[in-house]
Amino acid sequence: AQSVTQLDSQVPVFEEAPVELRCNYSSSVSVYLFWYVQYPNQGLQLLLKYLSGSTLVESINGFEAEFNKSQTSFHLRKPSVHISDTAEYFCAVSVGGNTPLVFGKGTRLSVIA
Amino acid sequence: DTGVSQNPRHKITKRGQNVTFRCDPISEHNRLYWYRQTLGQGPEFLTYFQNEAQLEKSRLLSDRFSAERPKGSFSTLEIQRTEQGDSAMYLCASSLVGQGFHAGNTIYFGEGSWLTVV
């Protein structure tokens, strides 16, 4: 069975600094990878996804993630964070793309002014 | 497209009572999922439907839990004889599969239904 490990439960970072949220997955078959963001008392919103093709995927608000098959990783990065990026970020995997998502435990990103 | 709708958003109930949550998926989405999320944890898969058929149930879904999607549109999740350990946010999500490789891979979540068992 597939699993997702988010190595950092909390990441504090100063505004305008870069950030990386780490995600590793375990699966012996092809997977599709996702990052979701959850703001306080809200549901999850899709941030970006990797299905196939270019291993670097980007979101509209400046986040990007790179699929690395050899390292089974899908780390999320942003070169300059804003206060509004403060939220919980979840990495998730789906085998074959049409199976239920399996989530990591999340990383709480706190942006400090 | 009005998004995935869940109600009630919050429910406080006494231990031993039954509760029911409703989920209205995005129109024409044929897949519907239920997840449970506790504080400090990621969402945990409970069950999912394709149209009205329940295709998979997690071992987390004890006998006290039952989910239905009778007409392939909205779904209900009922918890019988609630226990304090059932306190969590119950998330519903939907997606469209079978109509194109990429169309089926985005799962949209509702805002969740908070359950507190006292």
Side-chain angles (χ1 to χ4, degrees):
Chain A
Q2 62 270 26
S3 66
V4 176
T5 302
Q6 292 185 244
L7 297 166
D8 305 297
S9 60
Q10 296 187 58
V11 174
V13 62
F14 287 104
E15 193 174 18
E16 298 184 4
V19 70
E20 178 180 82
L21 307 183
R22 295 179 292 171
C23 172
N24 288 86
Y25 67 91
S26 65
S27 175
S28 59
V29 298
S30 294
V31 296
Y32 301 89
L33 296 156
F34 305 79
W35 276 99
Y36 280 81
V37 59
Q38 186 176 37
Y39 298 101
N41 299 317
Q42 293 188 23
L44 282 78
Q45 301 173 31
L46 180 66
L47 191 59
L48 46 76
K49 60 185 178 183
Y50 170 78
L51 304 179
S52 65
S54 172
T55 58
L56 185 66
V57 291
E58 299 177 348
S59 72
I60 58 174
N61 57 355
F63 283 94
E64 63 179 30
E66 186 163 17
F67 170 58
N68 188 319
K69 187 174 181 180
S70 63
Q71 297 186 4
T72 61
S73 68
F74 191 55
H75 301 332
L76 181 70
R77 303 184 184 95
K78 189 170 184 179
S80 176
V81 295
H82 302 288
I83 294 289
S84 59
D85 293 325
T86 295
E88 190 92 20
Y89 291 80
F90 294 96
C91 182
V93 63
S94 172
V95 175
N98 284 323
T99 58
L101 294 174
V102 174
F103 286 87
K105 291 189 175 182
T107 297
R108 181 174 299 277
L109 174 63
S110 299
V111 180
I112 305 162
Chain B
D1 184 348
T2 58
V4 179
S5 176
Q6 294 187 244
N7 64 82
R9 292 291 315 280
H10 298 89
K11 178 73 176 178
I12 299 174
T13 191
K14 292 183 178 179
R15 187 175 53 186
Q17 298 294 305
N18 300 341
V19 297
T20 299
F21 298 110
R22 175 179 169 126
C23 172
D24 288 90
I26 293 173
S27 179
E28 298 182 357
H29 275 191
N30 51 8
R31 284 259 177 108
L32 187 148
Y33 308 80
W34 285 100
Y35 284 79
R36 181 175 70 187
Q37 185 180 19
T38 54
L39 284 175
Q41 299 294 318
E44 297 172 299
F45 168 72
L46 292 178
T47 187
Y48 83 103
F49 295 83
Q50 178 142 336
N51 300 312
E52 64 274 10
Q54 190 172 19
L55 296 188
E56 186 177 343
K57 292 193 291 186
S58 163
R59 59 180 172 78
L60 294 175
L61 212 66
S62 75
D63 292 345
R64 297 184 296 105
F65 287 70
S66 62
E68 295 182 342
R69 195 182 184 198
K71 298 182 180 179
S73 57
F74 74 92
S75 174
T76 57
L77 176 68
E78 181 183 19
I79 308 173
Q80 297 182 323
R81 305 181 303 281
T82 52
E83 301 172 355
Q84 288 187 324
D86 297 331
S87 296
M89 181 163 68
Y90 291 86
L91 288 161
C92 178
S94 70
S95 68
L96 178 65
V97 299
Q99 295 191 16
F101 180 79
H102 294 287
N105 287 299
T106 297
I107 298 176
Y108 297 89
F109 283 82
E111 295 199 336
S113 293
W114 280 102
L115 172 64
T116 301
V117 181
V118 297

